[in-house]
Amino acid sequence: MRAPPRLYALAAAAALALAGTALVPAATATAASAPATTAAPAAAGPAGAPSQRLAPEAAPPKLRASGNKLVDETGATRRLLGVNRSGGEFMCVQGRGIFDGPVDDASVKAIADWKVNTVRIPLNEECWLGLSHINPAYGGANYIAAVKALVARLEAHGITPVVELHWTHGRYTGGDNHCPDTEYATCQKPMPDAQYTPAFWTSVARTFGNDQAVVFDLFNEPFPDRATSDLTAAWKCWRDGGSCPGIDFPVAGMQTLLNAVRATGAKNLVLIPGVAYSNDLRQWLTYKPNDPAGNLAAAWHGYNFNTCASESCFDQQLAPVIAQVPFVAGEIGENTCSHGYIDRVMAWLDAKGASYLGWTWNTWDCSSGPSLISDYNGTPTNFGVGLRDHLKGMQ
């Protein structure tokens, strides 16, 4: 999700305050994970098929791709149905904490009470790697420990954790730039950077590679197509990285990041998004990275303000991908403070047996976020009512 402008304003201010700091890993922190802080957003087959298990169980499944479905250890078809839990991508780099709002057991139980079986956790590569401009209280060992603790709490409630890379390093001044005055990971960039992102995924894979219940989402919303009008070049950049047209820094492509994960021995399910902020998957199958583990799914993001936001577009652009590989709508949402759009998206994805996660389980304004809840007890906004009632109705 592209964060509201006020998030980028705060992020830019934080980045300017850090100007001139050397980008080297900070000393390893020894304190326990920093306490969660509550803050206003700085930003920001078909349902019911007999073989599907939609409700959380004692432990989340070890997922693998089988044809165009996700299956568990027994071979039963699974779907990822749930929410995003934003905060880990921006709080740390702004020096305000690690998560936005509570992530204790009570808050996780409130998520589970919506009959959620999956939570996606956006992360920041500079905070995970503990670069020296990050406050050590919120970076490096402390940041990793906090993420691991949240993953453990989710799993204790039978929820699949999706760890996802949201904000990355690299100064970008091209089309759709969001923080052109800094190289720091204070906003979305069009592609991952070759300098730090492979190291991030190597570390994440080593951290969670022995737990195949954890899903890896390689990069939030690529948009190399905003840096160049040559769509073929954009998709080649997406897969292969290197020196990409219109992008100021060396890029790590999806193949490089996947290789970094698999080189650790991790066989976890990996989600790979498309271009145009993950809304365009038309050439995903053509440029699909090679995976020796054979455990990939396509990731798509859908909002009412995206280009592909109608059933006719879904039929034309998404259905061919869904027919061949597992499909996860990692973010669905709308800026109407209602749920008419996501109702239609969920109905279409249900009919295809695909997965989806609502953006976002944070107490922001439902139009600028958009936010599913008004408090961390799980009281839904008018937008959140649609997702909550739909998930509960599927049990």
Side-chain angles (χ1 to χ4, degrees), residues 175-197:
D176 267 23
N177 63 71
H178 302 292
C179 50
D181 295 330
T182 179
E183 68 271 30
Y184 295 128
T186 59
C187 70
Q188 290 182 243
K189 307 295 171 62
M191 284 292 292
D193 63 290
Q195 185 174 5
Y196 292 115
T197 311

Side-chain angles (χ1 to χ4, degrees), residues 207-376:
T207 301
F208 295 114
N210 290 327
D211 181 3
Q212 290 189 50
V214 178
V215 175
F216 299 156
D217 189 346
L218 288 185
F219 189 66
N220 176 46
E221 291 181 343
F223 53 98
D225 52 304
R226 300 300 197 264
T228 177
S229 59
D230 185 339
L231 286 179
T232 297
W235 277 101
K236 287 181 178 178
C237 172
W238 175 88
R239 183 189 62 194
D240 302 329
S243 180
C244 295
I247 299 179
D248 310 67
F249 54 84
V251 167
M254 297 301 129
Q255 186 67 64
T256 296
L257 302 185
L258 182 60
N259 291 347
V261 169
R262 298 303 185 217
T264 68
K267 295 180 171 57
N268 305 58
L269 175 67
V270 172
L271 309 185
I272 301 186
V275 300
Y277 294 93
S278 302
N279 187 243
D280 184 350
L281 271 65
R282 283 175 291 180
Q283 297 192 61
W284 194 97
L285 294 171
T286 300
Y287 290 94
K288 174 186 174 184
N290 178 55
D291 182 17
N295 202 15
L296 297 182
W300 176 78
H301 293 183
Y303 292 89
N304 62 309
F305 47 79
N306 286 146
T307 299
C308 189
S310 66
E311 286 84 350
S312 60
C313 184
F314 304 161
D315 291 339
Q316 181 182 37
Q317 296 187 15
L318 307 185
V321 180
I322 291 175
Q324 295 196 41
V325 296
F327 185 95
V328 179
E331 295 181 14
I332 60 170
E334 58 188 282
N335 59 1
T336 66
C337 287
S338 187
H339 50 86
Y341 172 74
I342 66 162
D343 288 348
R344 291 170 32 226
V345 172
M346 291 187 293
W348 192 89
L349 293 170
D350 285 341
K352 301 293 184 182
S355 301
Y356 45 85
L357 310 174
W359 182 275
T360 176
W361 190 274
N362 294 76
T363 56
W364 306 341
D365 178 81
C366 60
S367 62
S368 65
S371 302
L372 294 163
I373 55 171
S374 57
D375 61 56
Y376 287 101

